[in-house]
Amino acid sequence: MNWRPITLALEGLRQTLWGRDAPPGRPLLARWPTLVPYAAPVGLLAALGLFLITLTVESEWGLPPPVALLFAAMTVAPLLVLPRRPLLAWRLTVLALLICTFNAPADQAWPWTPPLALGSIAVLAVVVARVDRPVLAWVVAISTVPVFTLVHPDNRVPVLLMLGAFAIVGDLFRRNRLSRRELAAQTERNEREQERRAVLEERTRIARELHDVVAHHMSLIAVQAETAPYRLTDVPAPTAAEFVAIAASARDALTDMRRLLGVLRSETTGPETAPQPDLTDLGAMVDAARRAGLPVTLDAGPADDGRVPAPVGLAAYRIVQEGLANAARHAAGAAVRVTVRVGPAGLTVRVENSPSDAPPTADGDPGHGLTGMRERATSLGGTFTAGPLPDGGYAVAAELPYDAEDGDR
C-alpha cells in the first residue's frame, strides 16, 4: 500500500492547524512607495472603525458589553495579523466564525455580523493565494465546517461555490506567481553567467593583446644578450656563458608565450598580425568617429613622450574606443569629450557625453562594455569609475598607474 498520499495529507493538516505560517507576499503598496508611510495609520483607523461597527451591532443584538467587546476584538484581530501572518489570520477567523454566532437573531439570513462575514472573505482570499496545494485543500475543507453547521441550508450552496472558486483562483494565482519568480531567478542567473563570461572573454582578449608587447621586450632581451659578447670588449668567458644562457632563456620564454597564446585563442579567432594600438592612434580613432557622425572632441597632451608603457597605452586606447562605442549606442547625437592626461606616474582617461534625447539602440550591452573597461584598468592596478553626470550625461574615467622608469626603457 502506498502511504505517501496519506502522509502528505497528514502533513498538510499539521501545517494548516499549527505549522509554520505562509510567507508574506509582496506588499500591496509596493508599486506606490510614497503611500507606504500612510498604510499603517490608515489600516489602524479602518480596524478601529470595524471594531466600533461590530460593537454597535453586537450591542443591538442584546449582548452584554464584555461579551460584545470580546466578539468585536475577535472580528478585528485576524485583519491586523493578515499582512504578515495570513495562516494565523485564517485560524483566528475560523475560531471567530464558530464562536461569534449564538447571539444572532433568528430572522437573520447570516449568523455573523457584516464585518465578520466580509473580513472572513478577505482573509480567505489572501490565504488561498499564499499556501501550497495540501494546505489549500485543508483550508477550504475546514472553512466549510462553519458553513454546514451554522449557515441556513438555503444559503449553503452559494457559499460552497464561492469557496471552490476561491480555491481554484488562488491556486492559479500562486502558480503564476511562482512561475514569474522562477523566471526572474533564471534571468538573474543568466545575467550573472553572461557577465562572468564577458569578464573571462575580456581577460583573454587582454592577454592576447599584451602578448605582442611582452614578446617585443623578450626579443630585445634575447638580442641584447646574444650580441653582448661582441659589443663589449674583454668579456670574461663565464660572463659570456651567462649571456648565452640569458639569451636561451629568453627564446624559451618566447616559445612558451606563443604556446600560451594558442591556448587563449578561440577556434574562431585568427592570428593578430597588426601592431597593437597605443596613444599615438587616438587621433585617428577620433577622426573615424567624427566621420561616422559622432561629435567628438579630443583633449590630450603629447601623444607619447616615452614615459607611458605599451600595456598602459593599449589599455587607454581600448577604454576610449569602448567609451565612444557606448556613447554612440546609448546617447546618439550627444557631444562627446575625450580627455587624456599623461602624468609622471600615471595616465588619466575620461570619456563623457552630454545628455541625449534619442532612445538608445538595442545592439550591445553597456554592462558588458563597462566590465571590459574595468577589467583593463584593474589588470594594471588602476581604478575605473562610471556613472551619470548631474546634467544628465554620462562619464567613464580610468586611472592607469605605471612606473615612469618602465616607460623610458
Side-chain angles (χ1 to χ4, degrees):
M1 182 177 179
N2 187 7
W3 295 94
R4 181 172 176 79
I6 299 177
T7 303
L8 292 178
L10 293 177
E11 176 61 25
L13 178 60
R14 185 199 66 79
Q15 175 70 22
T16 304
L17 295 180
W18 61 81
R20 180 177 55 87
D21 209 314
R26 184 183 181 186
L28 296 177
L29 300 180
R31 296 184 178 180
W32 302 280
T34 56
L35 300 180
V36 172
Y38 307 100
V42 172
L44 291 176
L45 289 176
L48 179 60
L50 292 176
F51 179 85
L52 295 177
I53 294 174
T54 304
L55 186 61
T56 302
V57 174
E58 298 286 1
S59 299
E60 292 178 354
W61 286 356
L63 278 180
V67 178
L69 287 172
L70 175 62
F71 285 5
M74 294 181 66
T75 300
V76 175
L79 301 177
L80 294 177
V81 300
L82 180 61
R84 295 190 176 274
R85 302 289 298 278
L87 202 52
L88 176 60
W90 171 81
R91 296 164 186 161
L92 295 176
T93 298
V94 173
L95 186 63
L97 291 175
L98 292 173
I99 294 179
C100 304
T101 55
F102 62 83
N103 59 309
D107 58 347
Q108 289 285 22
W110 301 97
W112 305 296
T113 61
L116 179 56
L118 296 177
S120 62
I121 294 175
V123 170
L124 185 63
V126 173
V127 171
V128 296
R130 301 277 184 86
V131 298
D132 53 13
R133 283 186 174 179
V135 178
L136 173 62
W138 282 111
V139 166
V140 175
I142 296 175
S143 298
T144 60
V145 174
V147 177
F148 280 111
T149 57
L150 301 174
V151 176
H152 193 276
D154 295 339
N155 297 329
R156 288 176 184 171
V157 174
V159 177
L160 294 177
L161 291 177
M162 181 190 67
L163 290 177
F166 272 23
I168 296 174
V169 174
D171 183 64
L172 293 176
F173 181 82
R174 177 178 173 274
R175 291 175 60 186
N176 183 45
R177 187 178 71 250
L178 291 178
S179 299
R180 292 200 308 268
R181 188 178 302 171
E182 292 176 359
L183 179 60
Q186 182 63 37
T187 302
E188 184 179 357
R189 287 194 296 268
N190 291 340
E191 290 178 353
R192 288 200 300 265
E193 179 62 24
Q194 291 178 0
E195 184 177 355
R196 187 185 68 85
R197 189 181 299 116
V199 170
L200 294 178
E201 291 176 354
E202 190 63 25
R203 289 177 179 175
T204 302
R205 180 184 176 188
I206 294 172
R208 290 200 307 265
E209 291 179 347
L210 290 179
H211 166 267
D212 292 343
V213 177
V214 179
H216 171 69
H217 293 302
M218 295 302 298
S219 299
L220 290 179
I221 294 174
V223 171
Q224 288 176 342
E226 287 178 344
T227 60
Y230 303 99
R231 292 183 290 102
L232 304 176
T233 59
D234 299 331
V235 177
T239 303
E242 188 71 21
F243 279 127
V244 172
I246 293 174
S249 298
R251 287 192 297 271
D252 292 340
L254 282 172
T255 302
D256 293 337
M257 288 181 58
R258 294 189 185 98
R259 294 171 181 169
L260 176 62
L261 184 63
V263 173
L264 295 176
R265 182 178 294 119
S266 63
E267 295 180 357
T268 59
T269 303
E272 299 179 358
T273 57
Q276 297 297 342
D278 55 18
L279 294 181
T280 59
D281 299 303
L282 286 179
M285 178 174 58
V286 170
D287 291 339
R290 290 172 182 155
R291 289 193 297 270
L294 187 66
V296 187
T297 301
L298 176 61
D299 181 10
D304 189 0
D305 59 0
R307 291 182 296 175
V308 181
V312 176
L314 173 61
Y317 180 91
R318 294 302 187 194
I319 290 174
V320 173
Q321 185 181 47
E322 188 63 36
L324 293 178
N326 280 345
R329 283 194 295 261
H330 306 286
V336 183
R337 180 179 180 87
V338 178
T339 305
V340 180
R341 290 289 182 266
V342 178
L347 181 68
T348 301
V349 181
R350 182 178 177 87
V351 181
E352 61 181 67
N353 59 264
S354 60
S356 174
D357 296 331
T361 58
D363 60 325
D365 185 350
H368 293 170
L370 297 179
T371 299
M373 289 187 277
R374 182 175 290 105
E375 282 297 315
R376 290 187 177 275
T378 55
S379 66
L380 297 173
T383 59
F384 176 81
T385 58
L389 298 174
D391 62 354
Y394 200 87
V396 297
E399 297 284 344
L400 308 177
Y402 58 82
D403 189 349
E405 296 180 356
D406 293 340
D408 294 334
R409 288 200 294 261

